[in-house]
């Protein structure tokens, strides 16, 4: 059952991150879900690093959801920086 909650929170975090960061994001529902799941990992790691909290303190916490959103925003900004200038069309030499 926890995997369903992880998917729901990941999708929600990815959606909110895409809404908070202005600009076009050519990704669908699956991309948003992956963004949210990566954001949850980043947010969880940052929470553990800064505050020393982990899953044994409770799996579903408001701070964890906020951390997932912050992590998803960070992951989205990194994704944009890495893919900047890629249009998908081949360059002429």
């Amino acid at each position: 059952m926890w995997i369903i909650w992880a998917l729901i929170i990941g999708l929600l975090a990815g959606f909110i991150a895409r809404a908070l960061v202005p600009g076009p994001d050519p990704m669908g529902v699956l991309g948003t879900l992956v963004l949210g799941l990566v954001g949850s990992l980043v947010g969880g790691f940052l929470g553990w690093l800064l505050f020393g909290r982990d899953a044994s303190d409770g799996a579903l916490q408001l701070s964890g959801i906020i951390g997932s959103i912050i992590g998803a925003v960070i992951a989205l900004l990194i994704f944009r920086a890495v893919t900047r200038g890629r249009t998908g069309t081949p360059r002429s030499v």
Side-chain angles (χ1 to χ4, degrees):
M1 185 67 177
W2 65 269
I3 196 159
I4 293 172
W5 281 111
L7 293 173
I8 291 171
I9 291 173
L11 188 62
L12 182 66
F15 178 75
I16 292 173
R18 287 182 62 193
L20 289 175
V21 179
D25 292 311
M27 63 177 77
V29 175
L30 185 60
T32 303
L33 176 63
V34 170
L35 173 67
L37 292 175
V38 169
S40 292
L41 292 174
V42 170
F45 177 73
L46 289 175
W48 172 80
L49 188 66
L50 296 173
F51 306 113
R53 302 285 178 151
D54 60 7
S56 66
D57 295 326
L60 185 61
Q61 301 175 12
L62 182 60
S63 61
I65 295 169
I66 293 170
S68 295
I69 294 168
I70 292 170
V73 167
I74 292 169
L76 180 59
L77 292 173
I78 291 171
F79 174 76
R80 283 188 181 175
V82 169
T83 60
R84 182 178 302 148
R86 294 185 188 176
T87 59
T89 58
R91 294 185 201 178
S92 59
V93 179

